[in-house]
Amino acid sequence: MVRNITPQELETVAKENENAVLIDVRSPEECAEGMVDGALNMNLFDANFLEKIGKLDKSKDYYMICRSGSRSNSAAGAMDQMGFESVYNMLGGMMAWGGETV
């Protein structure tokens, strides 16, 4: 089941949860404008996206990020169907993010 998380909650989790993996599913061009500190870029529109996601450790907690929350929700849903148990979608995406970016 995909759970939603606010940007404020994600900021706290990113600092406190050692099992957290932040994944930004925007394009590399979008990510070049700024990302949540520590997030990995895995472009949802990359032809190998599902293959790359499938290789991730299913025991981790995944926090999905995009521009507005739509693509990250789609990616989180795909991960849920692949058997990932701890998947979160950041509501509002980078448009709502107020924390640190790289």
Side-chain angles (χ1 to χ4, degrees):
M1 177 177 87
V2 175
R3 292 168 286 244
N4 289 317
I5 188 169
T6 66
Q8 294 79 15
E9 291 170 324
L10 179 64
E11 194 166 9
T12 300
V13 165
K15 293 175 184 170
E16 297 176 1
N17 180 354
E18 293 181 13
N19 203 38
V21 178
L22 284 57
I23 299 177
D24 192 322
V25 298
R26 297 177 298 155
S27 70
E29 295 78 19
E30 289 173 294
C31 288
E33 296 174 8
M35 293 174 60
V36 173
D37 191 31
L40 306 172
N41 179 220
M42 297 180 82
N43 184 0
L44 178 65
F45 297 126
D46 184 309
N48 299 320
F49 177 77
L50 292 177
E51 182 182 328
K52 291 177 183 177
I53 289 291
K55 293 179 181 177
L56 297 174
D57 181 349
K58 291 184 179 177
S59 70
K60 301 281 186 183
D61 301 327
Y62 292 95
Y63 297 86
M64 310 306 286
I65 304 162
C66 69
R67 186 181 72 84
S68 67
S70 179
R71 282 178 280 176
S72 56
N73 191 52
S74 295
M79 292 177 77
D80 182 53
Q81 290 186 348
M82 294 171 81
F84 288 83
E85 294 183 19
S86 184
V87 184
Y88 298 82
N89 174 51
M90 186 175 84
L91 294 170
M94 290 303 289
M95 292 171 55
W97 179 253
E100 294 181 37
T101 58
V102 245

